[in-house]
Amino acid sequence: MKRLFLALACFSSLQAAETYTEKPGKQGDGAFEVGPEYKLDPDLTDKGNAKGKTFTFSMKLADSKIFDGTDKTLEPDKKKVNTERKITVYVPAAYQDGTKAPLLVIHDGPGQLKLISHALDNLTISKDAKRKLPAFVCIAVQNGGNDGKNSQRGLEYDTMSDRLARFIHDEVLPAVLANAEIRAAYPKFALTENPWGRAVIGCSSGGAAALTMGWFRPDWFRRIIAYSGTFVDQQDDDAPEESKFPLGAWEYHSGMKLIETSELKPLRIFTHVSENDNRANDPEETYHNWVMAGMRTNVALDQKGYHHRYVFSKKTGHCDKRVFEHTLADTLVWLWRGWEG
């Protein structure tokens, strides 16, 4: 019965994508340089507008069929695995109960939720059609713990497969829809099945994970934001995926050159790298130079013909707070450009 339900859900999302069209145009596409001076965008601050509602609940890792915390690649004695993960949901004031809301999944929850909630409060009611956001629901998902190879977070974010996409689609989204507190506030609460209405944002390995979710499951997620993306070789060395993608996310732009050699996927992608991002001076053979990886990913996406926006931030570091404060409102507006849901 569950397999039938999932098959019907997949069919529904495909049907939504096939019957939906949008014309975003090319405004905002391309490469941009920011800095070295930075300021907090006023649209990412509290302007006193109506605020939405925030809901928080937890999911036990042991209850998951995809990430239960016992994967053979893990080294829990060295890198602790969490027993549960917090899910934070923000429903903007502009959301109308009963409508199928678009959504934004936020990795490393709560992540950038505070800035994004301010953007929603301010820009869903914007009178400027070119600087307006849809009333999307934010779903911030905490990672499973620690970082890097042989960690639960690394397993979730750095693995080149559809596992994370399946976890979000099959387990997190149903949990959000079934949450009693959300249902009490919004009895007809609903989320869109249209993959163009489903976005993902992350930084570092969370950024690589955002692209990987769309790359392997564009039938579920199509709008991608990756700040300081870990497009390097950080996949577990003993992961089954190593046989197919031996250099992990480095394969997107180098090695196998997946972006260049694969068919054009229905994705809208934002990427960023900082001038002083992680291991900026590492030689290529380490497969761990974030700046090199970010620049190459930009070139590959651009040459392939994706709707793509790239930001290079001067005199900043990895996942630099100043970059989010300076650019995130513009990034969100560009990401949702063309949405007609």
Side-chain angles (χ1 to χ4, degrees):
M1 182 63 72
K2 186 172 182 180
R3 287 184 179 179
L4 176 60
F5 172 80
L6 291 175
L8 289 173
C10 290
F11 177 76
S12 176
S13 64
L14 283 171
Q15 205 173 34
E18 288 171 358
T19 58
Y20 171 84
T21 59
E22 63 182 30
K23 298 179 180 179
K26 294 185 178 181
Q27 183 177 338
D29 292 10
F32 300 85
E33 185 177 281
V34 296
E37 301 298 326
Y38 296 88
K39 62 180 181 180
L40 174 60
D41 189 314
D43 287 328
L44 299 175
T45 65
D46 184 353
K47 293 183 175 182
N49 294 319
K51 295 174 177 57
K53 298 182 184 297
T54 301
F55 306 88
T56 303
F57 63 94
S58 295
M59 297 177 68
K60 293 181 179 180
L61 268 69
D63 292 338
S64 173
K65 290 181 170 56
I66 300 171
F67 293 124
D68 66 359
T70 65
D71 194 90
K72 65 180 183 180
T73 64
L74 300 175
E75 296 180 352
D77 293 339
K78 298 178 181 178
K79 297 188 174 183
K80 183 181 177 181
V81 178
N82 295 339
T83 57
E84 61 182 27
R85 69 177 82 238
K86 183 184 292 185
I87 311 296
T88 308
V89 179
Y90 184 76
V91 182
Y95 172 70
Q96 296 182 355
D97 191 26
T99 60
K100 290 189 174 184
L103 62 94
L104 173 66
V105 175
I106 304 173
H107 290 322
D108 289 316
Q112 300 77 38
L113 181 58
K114 183 177 181 180
L115 293 177
I116 296 171
S117 64
H118 287 326
L120 282 165
D121 298 342
N122 297 327
L123 296 179
T124 52
I125 59 174
S126 172
K127 294 181 180 180
D128 182 355
K130 293 182 179 180
R131 194 169 177 78
K132 190 176 179 71
L133 290 175
F136 59 82
V137 171
C138 296
I139 303 172
V141 182
Q142 186 181 27
N143 68 68
N146 221 284
D147 188 28
K149 294 186 178 185
N150 305 113
S151 73
Q152 181 65 37
R153 180 179 183 267
L155 173 68
E156 294 168 6
Y157 290 174
D158 295 313
T159 302
M160 293 287 284
S161 77
D162 72 344
R163 273 197 272 181
L164 182 60
R166 287 189 288 111
F167 172 67
I168 298 296
H169 180 271
D170 297 353
E171 298 186 5
V172 175
L173 296 188
V176 170
L177 288 168
N179 183 266
E181 287 190 55
I182 298 176
R183 284 289 172 193
Y186 304 96
K188 298 179 181 179
F189 182 71
L191 298 171
T192 184
E193 297 92 5
N194 186 341
W196 281 115
R198 292 174 170 182
V200 190
I201 181 174
C203 195
S204 191
S205 288
L211 178 59
T212 296
M213 282 177 62
W215 186 264
F216 286 95
R217 296 310 302 254
D219 55 328
W220 289 341
F221 305 96
R222 293 190 176 178
R223 298 182 191 269
I224 310 301
I225 297 176
Y227 278 90
S228 287
T230 301
F231 301 123
V232 302
D233 180 17
Q234 201 145 293
Q235 182 172 257
D236 288 322
D237 296 327
D238 51 352
E241 289 80 7
E242 280 284 282
S243 62
K244 190 171 183 181
F245 307 104
L247 296 179
W250 189 266
E251 305 286 12
Y252 279 126
H253 51 83
S254 303
M256 297 173 69
K257 298 186 177 181
L258 292 173
I259 295 171
E260 177 184 331
T261 58
S262 301
E263 77 282 359
L264 187 70
K265 297 175 184 286
L267 300 173
R268 186 170 179 83
I269 304 169
F270 168 92
T271 63
H272 152 268
V273 75
S274 287
E275 182 177 15
N276 302 317
D277 222 306
N278 283 352
R279 298 173 65 167
N281 297 315
D282 272 23
E284 179 172 4
E285 56 267 26
T286 65
Y287 312 121
H288 254 82
N289 185 319
W290 265 252
V291 179
M292 183 184 295
M295 289 180 169
R296 287 182 175 183
T297 300
N298 164 49
V299 171
L301 291 169
D302 182 60
Q303 291 183 349
K304 191 67 179 183
Y306 280 94
H307 276 295
H308 175 229
R309 180 179 176 89
Y310 167 72
V311 166
F312 177 81
S313 55
K314 300 184 69 174
K315 297 191 181 302
T316 51
H318 190 64
C319 292
D320 200 303
K321 176 184 177 182
R322 294 171 296 168
V323 180
F324 284 108
E325 293 179 342
H326 190 87
T327 67
L328 189 52
D330 290 337
T331 300
L332 291 168
V333 169
W334 176 84
L335 186 74
W336 288 101
R337 182 174 164 79
W339 170 246
E340 299 290 345

